Amino acid sequence: MRLSGPEAVAIATHLFHAPGHQKWESHHILYGHIQDSEGQIIDEALLLLMLAPRSYTREDVVEFHCHGGIIAVQQVLQACIQAGAKLAQPGEFTLRAFLNGRLDLTQAESIADLVGAQSPQAAQTALAGLQGKLAQPIRQLRQSCLDVLAEIEARIDFEDDLPPLDEAQVQAELRQIATELKRILGTADQGELLRSGLKVAIVGRPNVGKSSLLNAWSRSDRAIVTELPGTTRDVVESQLVVGGIPVQVLDTAGIRETLDPVEQIGVLRSQTAAQSADLILLTMDAESGWTEADQQLYETVQDRPLVLVINKVDLADADQVHYPAAITQVVTTVAAQQQGIEDLEQAILAITQAGLQAADLDVAINQRQAAALTEAKGSLEFVLVAIADQLPLDFWTIDLRGAIHALGEITGEEATESVLERIFSRFCIGK
């Protein structure tokens, strides 16, 4: 149970009773009992005291390390509230750390990314952001813009006392800044993949091996497999990691015309899952070849990124299987024998255009940061147009200030209250 704020130590002193002569010193652990307002012992616990500014929030912080379980924790929580504490809002501890200057906004967002990471690579990227590897280049670019702005404004205010402005030099500096912004913007798609992952739907007509493919891929018996068509009646999900990218795999019911009302519901859900997926694994049976049913199904999903999986190639020659020439990504598998899974993963990484590069990302920006960078880049381009059109220096400063403001929004130097509320509302209570 964590308390932060000017009254944290007073509340802890009121509730926590440490026997003997234990010293209440910062960053020391005390042993004792927590008592409610009536003096009744609630729990036997440890207390960790972290005095400002050497704490996560740069405020006085107290942590009660209680026994696990619902009742003990609820009783301690109620005792803290009765003693004057209030329940934390989502992300309030991190918000206080930001407002007190311990973290910038990119580091705060990286904490949320680290908590929600779905793969080791996503965690490493979030940790890099927490260490300031995104904030540092953004601050440098913003400072470069400020330096250019200072040079321009100096010519406006003291035109007669300074030599003429080197327009070519200003253009070169602004182009260099814009190029660096473009490079950082290039990490947005990979960052979104690392954070949100990829939704992949395995679709096909009944009994082509979709469930066997899911089981082989996830190395578990997630889906029921029989020789009877229509065994899968609902969408079965499995969470995997492919090349550092979290992948949500959806095994769908075989899509076909049926009079079975339960199977009809399964088919409808399969069609819905296929339309919401980022990538389709269109699975077919090598033994029966490309059928009219496969063609009809292909026509419903061909507008989506797609990999054709020719399954059961142990029963037929895959080279003799014909399929539409428009399909460029093809993988052969024997799902029942777990063959071809590595080729399938490589095809998925290739078609997402993220590839294995996602695992090598140092930092990856999120959607909010990408929007601010795009705005900053656009503002710099307007400045370059103003210079090329020989507009007065005052016109240059307008868009240059816009770029500086957008970059400041990323790190929090220019963040508004509404931006902070939008960011920290997505955090969990404990952070």
Side-chain angles (χ1 to χ4, degrees):
M1 193 76 60
R2 181 184 297 125
L3 299 176
S4 179
E7 301 299 321
V9 176
I11 293 174
T13 304
H14 176 69
L15 298 179
F16 192 83
H17 298 269
H21 302 285
Q22 301 178 62
K23 295 182 178 180
W24 286 64
E25 296 179 347
S26 183
H27 292 78
H28 281 70
I29 296 177
L30 304 178
Y31 160 78
H33 296 86
I34 303 174
Q35 299 181 358
D36 60 19
S37 58
E38 297 177 357
Q40 181 178 352
I41 294 177
I42 301 173
D43 195 9
E44 181 182 23
L46 300 175
L47 182 143
L48 175 58
L49 179 65
M50 293 170 282
L51 299 180
R54 296 171 57 206
S55 70
Y56 179 70
T57 61
R58 279 193 175 168
E59 300 174 332
D60 288 343
V61 171
V62 173
E63 290 183 355
F64 297 107
H65 292 250
C66 313
H67 285 95
I70 296 177
I71 300 303
V73 173
Q74 283 184 340
Q75 287 181 325
V76 174
L77 175 62
Q78 189 61 35
C80 290
I81 293 174
Q82 289 176 349
K86 71 178 184 66
L87 293 175
Q89 297 298 312
E92 186 169 353
F93 290 101
T94 305
L95 175 59
R96 291 186 177 210
F98 166 73
L99 294 175
N100 291 326
R102 185 182 181 276
L103 303 171
D104 65 40
L105 210 49
T106 66
Q107 292 174 308
E109 290 176 298
S110 294
I111 290 173
D113 290 339
L114 186 59
V115 172
Q118 301 180 54
S119 70
Q121 287 76 14
Q124 285 299 316
T125 302
L127 192 58
L130 182 56
Q131 293 170 342
K133 291 185 178 180
L134 174 59
Q136 182 178 357
I138 297 297
R139 284 201 185 95
Q140 290 175 346
L141 293 172
R142 186 171 184 268
Q143 185 59 51
S144 297
C145 290
L146 286 168
D147 293 341
V148 173
L149 179 63
E151 287 290 326
I152 297 173
E153 291 188 331
R155 287 345 187 255
I156 296 174
D157 296 334
F158 308 102
E159 182 179 3
D160 297 334
D161 301 326
L162 295 173
L165 188 66
D166 188 343
E167 293 185 8
Q169 178 65 26
V170 171
Q171 287 176 312
E173 290 182 17
L174 294 181
R175 287 194 183 100
Q176 184 177 357
I177 295 171
T179 299
E180 182 62 15
L181 291 179
K182 183 178 179 181
R183 184 193 68 81
I184 300 175
L185 270 169
T187 67
D189 290 341
Q190 291 104 322
E192 187 63 23
L193 272 176
L194 286 176
R195 293 183 182 92
S196 303
L198 194 68
K199 183 183 291 187
V200 177
I202 306 175
V203 301
R205 53 189 173 82
N207 213 30
V208 295
K210 299 185 299 299
S211 296
S212 296
L213 182 62
L214 174 64
N215 289 345
W217 197 3
S218 62
R219 293 177 175 81
S220 66
D221 293 330
R222 291 284 298 160
I224 299 173
V225 177
T226 73
E227 295 181 357
L228 300 175
T231 300
T232 303
R233 298 297 185 94
D234 204 350
V235 177
V236 180
E237 298 184 12
S238 186
Q239 301 292 334
L240 305 172
V241 176
V242 177
I245 300 173
V247 176
Q248 179 187 14
V249 186
L250 309 176
D251 173 29
T252 65
I255 299 177
R256 64 173 179 175
E257 295 292 334
T258 177
L259 298 178
D260 185 334
V262 177
E263 190 175 353
Q264 286 177 349
I265 296 174
V267 169
L268 180 60
R269 290 185 178 181
S270 298
Q271 293 169 336
T272 301
Q275 291 303 315
S276 66
D278 301 309
L279 177 65
I280 302 295
L281 300 185
L282 179 58
T283 309
M284 62 171 291
D285 183 348
E287 187 175 20
S288 59
W290 186 266
T291 66
E292 181 62 28
D294 291 313
Q295 180 64 32
Q296 292 176 358
L297 183 54
Y298 169 65
E299 291 174 357
T300 65
V301 297
Q302 61 181 339
D303 60 327
R304 317 288 297 170
L306 182 144
V307 175
L308 177 63
V309 180
I310 305 177
N311 193 33
K312 304 181 184 180
V313 293
D314 56 328
L315 303 178
D317 185 358
D319 294 334
Q320 301 302 315
V321 176
H322 299 284
Y323 49 84
I327 300 178
T328 57
Q329 289 285 349
V330 182
V331 175
T332 59
T333 63
V334 184
Q337 301 176 23
Q338 297 187 341
Q339 295 179 11
I341 301 302
E342 291 184 5
D343 293 338
L344 176 61
E345 292 184 345
Q346 291 300 321
I348 290 173
L349 291 172
I351 206 169
T352 58
Q353 297 180 349
L356 296 174
Q357 298 174 359
D360 299 327
L361 284 179
D362 195 12
V363 293
I365 59 175
N366 59 32
Q367 291 180 346
R368 182 193 73 86
Q369 295 160 355
L373 284 171
T374 301
E375 181 181 348
K377 182 172 174 290
S379 295
L380 292 180
E381 290 171 351
F382 283 129
V383 178
L384 291 170
V385 170
I387 296 174
D389 292 345
Q390 295 295 304
L391 295 178
L393 296 181
D394 301 78
F395 286 83
W396 302 13
T397 63
I398 295 173
D399 291 308
L400 191 52
R401 289 182 183 278
I404 293 169
H405 178 80
L407 293 174
E409 280 192 338
I410 297 175
T411 57
E413 293 160 291
E414 301 275 358
T416 62
E417 185 175 345
S418 61
V419 170
L420 296 180
E421 183 179 351
R422 186 168 70 250
I423 292 172
F424 289 100
S425 65
R426 301 170 184 168
F427 279 60
C428 60
I429 298 295
K431 293 298 179 186

